[in-house]
């Protein structure tokens, strides 16, 4: 075992042309999209680009946030509808059906922080939206709606939404929490912060959070943490220009992808396992690692 | 004389008796018969008569049914030669055809082939030599000699000489025989000229002779076993003479392998061998021993062949312990191993080995030897030392510890002073090995040297448990065990690799998931330091001089080269200051590539502002408070900068690439552009091809490729690089004495000047530079240090290359003449191979100059 590890792979392909740092990415599942898989990217210049993964070109660019950065994107379960959150303190609902791209509705926000919203889909036409208010961060949940939020003081809090009270709270970071993701199968979640530590915590039957494991990184600063839909691996977007890939169950480091030349702001997984990362260097890199079984 | 184990004096007396009785009536009968036969042969034309006469004579040779005649002895000793001579004289096509069925020819031949071989051989040789030109008789004789050889008669001849002899004329006779046996190829070559037979060529004859020697020795051993005494001195003399004639490879190549096998189990054979070598005449000892040592595959074999010869024979001792080790160095390592191994095998010889080691080390530690001996010889002696050490045991070494240590220290010191890396490395390796053997338990002496083929070979020599221990006996089983082990191992491995694929079915799917994901290489995952990088030259300067923040300091050094190339204007403002800082920069942290980064930055500064910085650097070269390292750095930087300046293309490339150490992180644009850059030529080529194919050209000729030309930037500044370096080399400072101890720097200086001269080709200052350089070379031409001499020689070559021919001849004719005689001298006599080669090259360049001159003047 002298040289056991192969060198890390390069990206499958790279999407260029946003003309501005890429803040957020979202894959649209092929079933919802119009035949071919799409990738949505939100840039700092306020545009939402829709990319076709087949032609690797932009399909359309949505301008709805008055030149203010787009921080969060999500398609709704019924498809053809996209939520986008911007730094212009608005959350827009877009209608994308049949080639339209118009804003159907907007919600005014009052948070100027980094916090992203979250959606809980409860049925075909019924979904719940959590938007950041003053000082909260982000999300997830179970039959009884629970919400996970990360705060700037480095803590992660579990809210019971119906009763509007805090179920549990752990302080797992020294620095503000920048991103978190939760795996409801294993009842475990992971959060990354501006600091050097990646924290894995678990939620037990009494709905209390416990720090399960922490992982020290080489360089501080995690912009986003995403678990792959099949719960096998997770990826982090690092301020150190690198994407890190971990084994989700063991938190064993699997790869450090050094391609971008500036901070990576977001990572997203498609259901088929494709990994996309957007960076301050205005490029979106698409990777294919450890294919889903 | 080898006495047989069962001595039988009676055997001697019985053989001597026929010679003592003189006037026997029977003898006269023999004489009469012979006289009559000679008469018949010379006069008669009658076939029947001749045949019957010969038949009568043939009876005396034995082999017929006659009982051992007393006449036989007399016939063979006294009359046989006469008969043979007569037979030779009769030889002609007409005479042989007297009997058409070839009976006469057969009978004629049988006299030579069946009679006493020594006389037959002598008569044959004599006849061949005295017969002139290509003729029937000559060819006939040559053929007969060929048959004589192929029938093993030479062995019979030598065997005859091994028997005890008492004839008064015997020594003279043997001497003649010896010279004819050994000189056969030469003599036949002379006589037969073009028609020589292949069997008589030396490369064929001497192996045959070797085979015959083996046969003789076999016979001798048989005699000894049979209780007869023998002497192998004739064989020894043959061997000696052949070896002296330089044919040891041919004869010993056949002899040694057979003797190796034969002596393996037999003491008698060993004794015969020892005797064989002992009896070699003194003047041939060296040749024979060298040949044997070369041919013997292992020390034990050599020991079997030679016995304790070195102890008994002074000459042999001199050859083995001095000549082969100290006076020659062309021998191979295996030969050294068998030679020293031979000394180590027997307890009687071991004191010699210790003695040899002491003397070797003395030579090794002699500073004059280090300076004047060629590198190959030093290498040879070092190898010999290592082999000796490998053979000697702990207690033996302890006894001579002090002497070893003293010689070693002296040797290491003068070797480390040497300016040639291989010599230094030799010193380090040998010192390491010696110290580890003298003080096995102490802390090991450890030098840093590059691990190359030579050092590995040397270290392998030094490992105790000499090569002799793992001879064929031990080699066999271990090899076998390897063979048997491997098949056992491989199934295990395959089982191992099967395990993961089998397990998943039975076990929890959670557990197996680890195996799906093989991690990628994560060694590139280092901490980012981009935030600390200075962005301006002045910031860099400040960071390097005052910063306490080591990360910032490192980052500054990392980006400096790129910054300098990117902002030449800003650099020029602070160039000398920056050069000063860089020159004095010390490695504060354990930084990878510190030296290269510093050097590259210095080069960049020099290239950007050549005049000022070169002035500064050249004055600092002769400054007071610098280490040798810094002075050599100055030289390196000057050469590299001159190189960059004289090639405008490479300069551009340098500035494009930016800092090489900082990688992709600090230069985002670079990272993205580099792959593109690489790809550019491809698509350009494609596009151009396409355009070319679609374009119709009306002009003639093929499209020309334009070479981008540019001015040689070195032209205007070469003087600043060059002349100041020449000014002070002969004025020693307290800290720096180029002509004294610091000859390493002097060597570097000479090489640097040579490079600068070469890079100044096509510049206007080349002529004065060449003149000054030749003066410099002239002043130092007899320098003792090899490295300096090499530098001087390459300086001469670069002068010849760089200065235009007409100017050379016009301005420097005297210098060239002087240089020429010196070069010729060096090319012939210098101890160093590289020096000789460099001198040869310079001479060739001079020749070319002369040719040019001739071609100019002739039309």
């Amino acid at each position: 075992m002298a040289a056991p590890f192969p060198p890390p792979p390069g990206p499958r392909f790279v999407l260029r042309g946003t003309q501005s740092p890429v803040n957020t990415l979202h894959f649209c599942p092929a079933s919802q999209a119009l035949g071919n898989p799409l990738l949505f990217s939100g840039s700092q210049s306020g545009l939402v680009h829709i990319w076709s993964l087949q032609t690797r070109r932009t399909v359309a660019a949505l301008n709805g946030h008055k030149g203010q950065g787009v921080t969060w994107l999500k398609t709704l379960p019924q498809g053809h509808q996209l939520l986008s959150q911007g730094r212009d303190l608005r959350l827009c609902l877009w209608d994308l059906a049949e080639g339209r791209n118009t804003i159907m509705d907007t919600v005014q926000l009052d948070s100027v922080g980094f916090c992203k919203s979250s959606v809980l889909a409860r049925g075909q036409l019924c979904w719940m939206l959590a938007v950041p208010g003053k000082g909260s961060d982000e999300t997830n949940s179970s039959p009884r709606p629970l919400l996970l939020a990360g705060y700037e003081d480095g803590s992660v809090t579990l809210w019971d939404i119906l009763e509007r009270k805090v179920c549990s709270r752990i302080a797992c970071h020294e620095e503000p929490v920048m991103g978190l993701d939760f795996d409801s199968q294993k009842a475990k979640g992971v959060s990354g912060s501006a600091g050097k530590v990646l924290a894995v915590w678990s939620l037990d039957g009494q709905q209390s959070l416990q720090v399960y494991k922490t992982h020290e990184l080489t360089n501080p600063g995690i912009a986003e943490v995403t678990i792959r839909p099949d719960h096998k691996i997770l990826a982090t977007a690092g301020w150190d220009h690198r994407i890190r890939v971990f084994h989700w169950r063991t938190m064993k480091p699997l790869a450090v992808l050094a391609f971008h030349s500036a901070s990576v702001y977001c990572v997203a997984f498609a259901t088929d396992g494709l990994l996309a990362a957007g960076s301050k260097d205005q490029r979106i890199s698409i990777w294919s690692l450890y294919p889903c079984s | 004389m080898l006495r047989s184990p069962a001595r039988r004096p009676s055997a001697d007396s019985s053989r001597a008796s026929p010679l003592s009785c003189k006037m026997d009536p029977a003898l006269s009968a023999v004489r009469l018969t012979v006289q009559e036969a000679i008469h018949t042969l010379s006069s008669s034309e009658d076939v029947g008569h001749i045949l019957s006469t010969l038949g009568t004579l043939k009876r005396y040779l034995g082999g017929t049914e006659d009982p051992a005649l007393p006449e036989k002895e007399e016939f063979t000793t006294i009359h046989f030669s006469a008969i043979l001579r007569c037979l030779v004289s009769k030889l002609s096509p007409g005479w042989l055809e007297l009997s058409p069925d070839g009976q006469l020819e057969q009978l004629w031949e049988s006299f030579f082939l069946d009679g006493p071989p020594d006389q037959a051989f002598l008569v044959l040789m004599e006849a061949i030599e005295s017969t002139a030109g290509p003729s029937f008789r000559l060819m006939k004789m040559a053929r007969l000699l060929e048959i004589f050889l192929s029938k093993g008669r030479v062995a019979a001849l030598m065997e005859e000489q091994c028997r005890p002899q008492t004839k008064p004329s015997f020594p003279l006779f043997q001497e003649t025989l010896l010279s004819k046996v050994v000189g056969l190829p030469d003599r036949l070559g002379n006589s037969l000229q073009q028609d020589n037979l292949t069997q008589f060529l030396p490369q064929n004859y001497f192996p045959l002779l070797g085979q015959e020697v083996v046969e003789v020795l076999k016979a001798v051993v048989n005699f000894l076993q049979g209780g007869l005494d023998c002497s192998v001195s004739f064989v020894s003399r043959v061997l000696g003479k052949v070896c002296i004639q330089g044919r040891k490879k041919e004869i010993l190549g056949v002899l040694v392998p057979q003797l190796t096998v034969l002596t393996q189990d037999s003491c008698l054979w060993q004794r015969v061998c020892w005797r064989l070598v002992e009896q070699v005449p003194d003047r041939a000892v060296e040749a024979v021993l060298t040949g044997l040592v070369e041919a013997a595959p292992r020390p034990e074999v050599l020991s079997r062949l030679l016995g304790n010869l070195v102890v008994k024979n002074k000459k042999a001792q001199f050859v083995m312990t001095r000549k082969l080790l100290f006076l020659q160095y062309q021998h191979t390592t295996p030969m050294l191993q068998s030679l020293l191994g031979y000394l180590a095998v027997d307890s009687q010889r071991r004191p010699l080995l210790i003695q040899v080691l002491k003397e070797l080390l003395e030579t090794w530690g002699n500073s004059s030897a280090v300076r004047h001996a060629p590198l190959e010889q030093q290498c040879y002696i070092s190898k010999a030392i290592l082999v000796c050490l490998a053979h000697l045991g702990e207690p033996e070494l302890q006894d001579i510890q002090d002497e070893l240590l003293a010689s070693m220290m002296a040797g290491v010191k003068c070797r480390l002073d040497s300016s040639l890396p291989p010599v230094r490395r030799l010193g380090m390796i040998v010192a390491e090995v010696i110290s580890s053997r003298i003080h096995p338990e102490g802390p090991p002496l450890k030098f840093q040297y590059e691990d190359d083929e030579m050092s590995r070979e040397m270290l392998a020599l030094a490992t105790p448990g000499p090569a002799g221990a793992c001879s064929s006996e031990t080699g066999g089983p271990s090899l076998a065990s390897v063979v048997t082990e491997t098949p056992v191992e491989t199934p295990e491995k395959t089982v191992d690799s099967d395990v993961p694929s089998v397990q998943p079915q039975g076990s929890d799917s959670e557990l197996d998931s680890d195996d799906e994901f093989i991690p990628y290489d994560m060694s590139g995952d280092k901490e980012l330091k981009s935030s600390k990088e200075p962005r301006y030259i002045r910031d860099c300067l400040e960071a390097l001089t005052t910063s306490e923040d080591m990360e910032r300091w490192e980052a500054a050094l990392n980006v400096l080269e790129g910054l300098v190339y990117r902002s030449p204007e800003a650099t020029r403002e602070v160039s000398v200051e920056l050069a000063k800082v860089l020159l004095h920069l010390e490695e504060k942290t354990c930084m990878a590539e510190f030296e290269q980064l510093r050097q590259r930055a210095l080069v960049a500064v020099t290239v950007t502002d050549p005049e000022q910085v070169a002035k500064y650097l050249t004055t600092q070269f002769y400054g007071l408070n610098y280490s040798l390292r810094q002075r050599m750095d100055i030289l390196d930087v000057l050469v590299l900068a001159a190189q960059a300046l004289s090639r405008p293309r490479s300069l551009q490339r340098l500035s494009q690439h930016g800092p090489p150490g900082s990688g992709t992180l600090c230069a985002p644009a670079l990272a993205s552009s580099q792959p593109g850059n690489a790809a550019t030529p491809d698509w350009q080529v494609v596009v151009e091809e396409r355009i070319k194919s679609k374009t119709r050209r009306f002009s003639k000729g093929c499209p020309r490729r334009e070479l981008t030309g540019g001015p040689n930037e070195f032209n205007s500044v070469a003087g600043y690089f060059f002349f100041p370096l020449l000014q002070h080399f002969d004025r020693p400072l307290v800290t720096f004495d180029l002509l004294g101890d610091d000859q390493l720097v002097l060597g570097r200086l000479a090489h640097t000047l040579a490079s600068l001269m070469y890079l100044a080709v096509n510049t206007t200052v080349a002529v004065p530079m060449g003149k000054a350089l030749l003066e410099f070379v002239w002043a130092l031409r007899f320098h003792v240090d090899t490295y300096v001499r090499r530098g001087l020689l390459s300086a001469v070559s670069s002068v010849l290359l760089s200065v235009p021919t007409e100017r050379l001849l016009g301005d420097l004719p005297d210098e060239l003449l002087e240089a020429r005689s010196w070069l010729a001298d060096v090319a012939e006599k210098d101890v160093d191979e590289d020096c000789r080669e460099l001198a040869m090259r310079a001479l060739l360049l001079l020749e070319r100059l002369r040719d040019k001159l001739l071609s100019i003047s002739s039309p």
Side-chain angles (χ1 to χ4, degrees):
Chain A
M1 297 284 277
F5 303 121
R12 267 275 288 280
F13 52 89
V14 180
L15 304 176
R16 295 183 176 84
T18 58
Q19 308 281 330
S20 146
V22 181
N23 275 355
T24 179
L25 288 168
H26 176 70
F27 278 101
C28 178
S31 58
Q32 296 175 17
L34 316 156
N36 65 49
L38 296 174
L39 173 70
F40 297 96
S41 74
S43 70
Q44 203 160 20
S45 61
L47 291 181
V48 174
H49 289 89
I50 307 175
W51 303 86
S52 162
L53 293 178
Q54 272 174 349
T55 63
R56 300 174 190 180
R57 298 280 188 279
T58 36
V59 177
L62 314 178
N63 188 357
H65 288 281
K66 300 171 184 167
Q68 303 281 316
V70 179
T71 56
W72 177 73
L73 288 171
K74 176 95 180 167
T75 47
L76 290 177
Q78 53 268 54
H80 314 320
Q81 283 180 323
L82 173 75
L83 282 168
S84 71
Q85 176 192 357
R87 297 300 294 273
D88 60 345
L89 307 186
R90 286 201 308 169
L91 191 104
C92 300
L93 177 64
W94 298 81
D95 177 17
L96 302 177
E98 295 160 1
R100 285 192 295 271
N101 42 26
T102 50
I103 298 172
M104 286 161 65
D105 200 358
T106 61
V107 178
Q108 203 66 29
L109 307 174
D110 57 357
S111 162
V112 291
F114 299 105
C115 189
K116 298 171 177 180
S117 310
S118 181
V119 164
L120 174 66
R122 307 194 68 188
Q124 191 60 21
L125 287 169
C126 173
W127 42 274
M128 188 177 280
L129 175 69
V131 296
K134 287 209 161 70
S136 86
D137 193 52
E138 169 179 344
T139 46
N140 230 314
S141 130
S142 73
R144 206 169 157 206
L146 295 170
L147 176 74
L148 280 164
Y151 290 84
E152 282 193 21
D153 65 353
S155 63
V156 174
T157 304
L158 182 71
W159 288 89
D160 185 323
I161 293 175
L162 295 185
E163 295 180 23
R164 300 176 188 207
K165 66 164 193 163
V166 173
C167 297
S168 171
R169 177 176 182 279
I170 47 164
C172 48
H173 295 283
E174 311 248 305
E175 304 280 336
V177 175
M178 298 304 295
L180 59 82
D181 200 354
F182 187 74
D183 170 12
S184 48
Q185 281 181 7
K186 296 193 178 70
K188 277 198 303 187
V190 58
S191 59
S193 76
K196 272 191 153 186
V197 177
L198 202 61
V200 180
W201 24 262
S202 60
L203 183 64
D204 62 13
Q206 280 80 46
Q207 292 181 346
S208 73
L209 291 169
Q210 267 154 5
V211 175
Y212 173 75
K213 194 185 252 181
T214 59
H215 183 85
E216 184 93 1
L217 300 168
T218 319
N219 292 306
I222 292 295
E224 189 171 10
V225 182
T226 309
I227 301 173
R228 198 163 76 178
D230 66 353
H231 310 299
K232 286 280 171 61
I233 59 177
L234 77 115
T236 65
W239 290 354
D240 61 352
H241 317 175
R242 290 163 202 165
I243 305 156
R244 284 157 208 282
V245 179
F246 296 88
H247 189 255
W248 168 224
R249 192 174 53 78
T250 59
M251 285 308 284
K252 179 168 99 177
L254 292 177
V256 177
L257 307 172
F259 167 77
H260 289 286
S261 50
S263 298
V264 183
Y265 283 155
C266 49
V267 283
F269 278 108
T271 41
D272 62 353
L274 217 54
L275 166 66
S279 156
K280 193 183 170 185
D281 67 3
Q282 312 186 354
R283 293 183 290 172
I284 301 166
S285 55
I286 311 290
W287 308 76
S288 175
L289 297 171
Y290 305 110
C292 291
S293 47
Chain B
M1 175 141 328
L2 277 163
R3 295 265 160 208
S4 83
R7 283 172 121 195
R8 279 195 209 155
S10 59
D12 279 340
S13 59
S14 71
R15 292 187 58 78
S17 58
L19 289 168
S20 55
C21 50
K22 279 172 191 164
M23 290 311 283
D24 219 309
L27 282 184
S28 53
V30 175
R31 189 179 298 156
L32 279 179
T33 324
V34 170
Q35 274 171 359
E36 201 173 310
I38 289 178
H39 181 73
T40 315
L41 284 174
S42 52
S43 59
S44 175
E45 295 286 313
D46 179 10
V47 188
H49 196 188
I50 294 174
L51 285 177
S52 67
T53 315
L54 288 177
T56 327
L57 292 176
K58 188 85 198 290
R59 270 193 310 128
Y60 292 120
L61 289 178
T64 48
E65 66 284 354
D66 285 79
L69 295 165
E71 297 97 336
K72 197 174 148 188
E73 197 73 46
E74 193 201 341
F75 176 78
T76 51
T77 45
I78 300 173
H79 306 294
F80 186 59
S81 302
I83 295 284
L84 289 180
R85 280 196 192 97
C86 176
L87 283 174
V88 167
S89 70
K90 285 310 290 180
L91 183 64
S92 70
W95 190 76
L96 283 182
E97 277 163 19
L98 285 177
S99 89
D101 55 354
Q103 203 186 348
L104 182 59
E105 189 174 351
Q106 222 173 4
L107 201 57
W108 178 81
E109 280 184 359
S110 71
F111 270 87
F112 290 93
L113 299 177
D114 299 341
D118 43 0
Q119 294 179 47
F121 183 74
L122 282 182
V123 170
L124 262 180
M125 290 299 289
E126 189 185 290
I128 288 177
E129 279 178 280
S130 59
T131 311
S135 65
F136 170 79
R137 183 189 287 185
L138 186 62
M139 281 322 287
K140 194 74 201 159
M141 301 293 230
R143 297 265 171 227
L144 183 58
L145 185 61
E146 191 183 18
I147 299 170
F148 186 87
L149 292 182
S150 65
K151 289 207 160 176
R153 295 302 285 168
V154 180
L157 181 154
M158 289 191 280
E159 191 186 315
E160 198 64 35
Q161 307 308 314
C162 292
R163 303 243 175 86
Q165 306 276 353
T166 46
K167 271 185 264 177
S169 64
F170 187 68
L172 196 62
F173 173 74
Q174 235 181 16
E175 197 56 49
T176 318
L177 202 53
L178 176 69
S179 74
K180 301 249 159 135
V181 167
V182 176
L184 184 137
D186 295 342
R187 284 154 196 268
L188 276 149
N190 282 337
S191 304
L192 294 172
Q193 310 271 342
Q194 308 281 342
D195 305 321
N196 204 355
L197 304 174
T198 51
Q199 186 54 61
F200 302 139
L201 298 178
Q203 61 267 38
N204 297 327
Y205 176 71
F206 289 111
L208 177 111
L209 196 58
Q211 187 55 43
E212 301 290 78
V213 168
V214 174
E215 297 305 323
V216 175
L217 294 179
K218 277 181 184 162
V220 166
V221 168
N222 278 339
F223 285 143
L224 292 173
Q225 278 167 345
L228 292 170
D229 290 345
C230 280
S231 155
V232 289
S233 83
F234 183 75
V235 185
S236 298
R237 285 162 67 192
V238 168
L239 195 61
K241 199 147 181 151
V242 171
C243 288
I244 281 190
Q245 290 196 353
R247 296 293 172 181
K248 48 189 180 232
K249 272 222 178 64
E250 281 91 347
I251 192 165
L252 293 175
V254 174
L255 198 55
V256 170
Q258 301 210 31
L259 288 181
T260 306
V261 177
L262 289 168
T263 52
Q264 194 153 17
D265 307 311
S266 161
C267 286
L268 192 57
W269 264 104
Q270 288 188 15
R271 264 186 56 209
V272 170
C273 271
W274 298 350
R275 195 72 188 149
L276 180 71
V277 189
E278 270 168 39
Q279 300 259 327
V280 171
D282 266 1
R283 60 198 188 88
V285 164
E286 183 194 339
V288 173
L289 283 182
T290 315
L292 281 174
V293 176
E294 265 167 13
R298 291 188 301 277
E300 312 88 84
V301 174
L302 198 59
S303 180
R304 286 208 299 265
L305 295 182
L306 297 184
N308 269 335
L309 185 70
V310 273
V311 187
K312 291 181 214 156
N313 186 330
K314 278 276 167 242
K315 175 84 182 176
Q317 187 173 353
F318 173 75
V319 169
M320 297 285 268
T321 60
R322 291 209 66 82
K323 194 142 192 185
L324 289 183
L325 291 172
F326 294 96
L327 303 179
Q328 304 178 337
Y329 57 91
Q330 78 276 32
H331 304 298
T332 59
T333 315
M335 187 179 148
L336 259 185
Q337 276 177 319
S338 32
L339 169 62
L340 294 167
Y342 161 74
L343 293 179
V345 169
D346 192 273
S347 60
Q348 285 187 29
R349 286 175 240 146
R350 274 188 101 84
L352 277 179
L353 184 65
I354 294 172
Q355 185 61 33
V356 162
L357 176 60
K358 276 193 221 163
E359 282 168 10
L360 278 172
L361 263 176
E362 211 170 287
T363 313
W364 191 79
N366 186 327
S367 71
S368 143
V370 173
R371 247 197 319 259
H372 296 290
L375 177 64
E376 295 82 27
Q377 185 168 21
Q378 300 195 28
C379 196
Y380 183 76
I381 289 193
S382 306
K383 278 181 188 166
I385 291 176
L386 297 184
V387 176
C388 278
L389 284 172
H391 282 296
L392 286 175
E394 214 54 55
E396 285 160 311
L397 285 175
Q398 290 302 325
D399 291 344
I400 51 169
Q401 185 179 0
D402 295 339
E403 285 162 76
L404 289 187
L405 206 59
S407 311
M408 180 193 99
M409 295 314 268
V412 171
K413 184 184 169 301
C414 55
R415 271 195 170 63
L416 291 183
D417 279 347
S418 167
S419 48
L420 298 180
V423 176
R424 291 202 290 269
R425 205 177 311 147
L426 274 183
M428 296 178 197
I429 294 172
V430 174
E432 272 183 14
V433 174
I434 294 180
S435 73
S436 74
R437 291 306 308 279
I438 296 179
H439 306 289
E441 68 285 334
L445 180 64
K446 193 77 196 145
F447 287 103
Q448 280 185 333
Y449 47 81
E450 275 170 50
D451 201 28
D452 70 342
E453 201 173 315
M454 186 187 80
S455 64
R456 274 192 294 274
E457 189 195 337
M458 308 260 313
L459 288 176
L461 285 182
T463 43
C470 55
S471 61
S472 59
E473 294 88 32
T474 48
S478 74
L479 218 155
S481 67
V482 167
V483 172
T484 50
E485 264 170 45
T486 32
V488 178
E489 248 176 329
T490 29
E492 273 179 359
K493 266 184 196 157
T494 50
V495 166
D496 273 346
S497 56
D498 281 343
V499 168
S501 59
V502 175
Q503 238 180 9
Q505 292 146 3
S507 67
D508 182 19
S509 66
E510 282 265 314
L511 285 173
D512 67 290
S513 53
D514 290 56
D515 303 317
E516 291 173 24
F517 304 128
I518 300 144
Y520 290 102
D521 181 24
M522 278 172 286
S523 54
D525 190 20
K526 307 236 171 65
E527 282 192 45
L528 271 191
K529 288 166 192 160
S530 54
S531 58
K532 308 244 180 185
E533 278 173 13
R535 309 230 158 194
Y536 301 98
I537 293 279
R538 282 176 193 279
D539 287 353
C540 258
L541 200 57
E542 188 214 309
L544 289 176
T545 44
T546 56
S547 178
E548 292 298 310
D549 180 355
M550 280 307 124
E551 280 182 19
R552 191 171 160 77
W553 185 85
E554 283 184 9
L557 194 56
N558 262 323
V559 296
L560 186 54
E561 192 198 3
L563 277 181
V564 168
Y565 281 126
R566 249 175 278 149
S567 46
E569 293 303 327
T571 309
R572 266 175 220 130
E573 288 167 19
V574 290
S575 57
V576 173
E577 204 181 334
L578 193 55
K580 193 192 240 168
V581 168
L582 284 170
L583 189 59
H584 289 92
L585 201 62
E586 279 171 13
E587 192 170 4
K588 289 188 189 172
T589 56
C590 258
M591 191 176 171
E593 297 190 324
F594 169 80
E595 288 300 333
Q596 289 96 308
L597 284 172
R598 175 176 153 226
Q599 190 183 55
R600 277 204 295 260
L602 255 174
V603 171
V605 175
T606 318
V607 167
T608 314
D609 191 9
E611 189 183 329
Q612 297 301 323
V613 180
K615 256 186 202 168
Y616 170 75
L617 287 179
T618 46
T619 48
Q620 296 311 301
F621 179 72
Y622 288 109
L624 204 55
N625 292 320
Y626 284 98
S627 68
L628 296 186
R629 178 73 254 167
Q630 279 168 316
R631 291 182 211 270
M632 289 197 278
D633 283 344
I634 290 178
L635 294 177
D636 289 345
V637 167
L638 286 175
V639 170
L640 288 171
Q643 195 176 7
L645 282 171
S646 64
R647 280 184 221 153
R649 276 252 197 94
S650 65
L651 189 63
Q652 278 171 7
R653 209 176 308 135
L654 270 177
S655 55
Q656 259 180 15
H657 274 272
S662 49
T664 55
L665 302 178
C666 68
L670 255 177
S672 57
S673 71
Q674 258 167 359
N677 261 354
T680 316
D682 283 345
W683 67 257
Q684 259 178 358
V685 166
V686 170
V687 169
E688 270 169 22
E689 284 291 314
R690 211 173 282 172
I691 292 176
K692 217 186 276 177
S693 66
K694 300 265 164 75
T695 314
R696 202 174 286 173
R697 286 178 196 276
F698 293 99
S699 63
K700 57 181 175 168
C702 52
R704 268 160 283 152
R705 274 195 66 181
E706 266 185 50
L707 279 176
T708 51
N712 182 347
E713 290 176 53
F714 191 48
N715 183 20
S716 52
V717 292
Y720 296 111
F721 281 69
F722 186 80
F723 292 111
L725 288 180
L726 278 176
Q727 274 168 4
H728 300 282
F729 76 92
D730 47 358
R731 280 169 234 171
L733 298 172
V734 185
T735 49
F736 186 46
D737 181 10
L738 268 182
L739 297 183
D741 289 341
D742 299 326
Q743 47 187 314
L744 175 63
V745 186
L746 184 62
R748 288 293 273 272
L749 177 63
H751 279 98
T752 305
L753 291 171
S755 310
L756 290 177
M757 185 71 231
Y758 179 69
L759 291 169
V761 66
N762 299 333
T763 61
T764 46
V765 283
V767 179
M769 277 172 78
K771 194 159 186 155
L773 189 54
L774 280 185
E775 272 167 31
F776 172 78
V777 170
W778 192 245
L780 292 171
R781 67 194 185 284
F782 293 126
H783 202 276
V784 286
D785 191 78
T786 318
Y787 188 61
V788 175
R789 282 202 308 275
R790 283 186 200 168
L792 297 178
L793 289 164
S794 45
V796 173
S797 294
S798 52
V799 169
L800 294 175
L801 284 171
S802 288
V803 181
T805 315
E806 57 273 21
R807 299 302 303 276
L808 264 181
L809 295 167
D811 295 10
L812 313 164
D814 298 340
E815 283 89 343
L816 285 185
L817 270 182
E818 284 170 337
R820 193 193 151 109
S821 57
W822 170 62
L823 287 173
D825 197 46
V826 172
E828 203 172 319
K829 293 184 191 149
D830 202 288
V831 288
D832 188 69
E833 201 185 327
D834 284 1
C835 279
R836 292 196 297 269
E837 198 185 317
L838 284 169
M840 270 321 289
R841 286 187 186 179
L843 276 177
L844 283 176
L845 286 173
L846 264 177
E847 286 294 309
R848 214 172 62 178
L849 266 186
R850 209 179 57 178
D851 294 349
K852 252 190 211 168
L853 180 69
L854 287 178
S855 67
I856 290 169
S857 62
S858 59

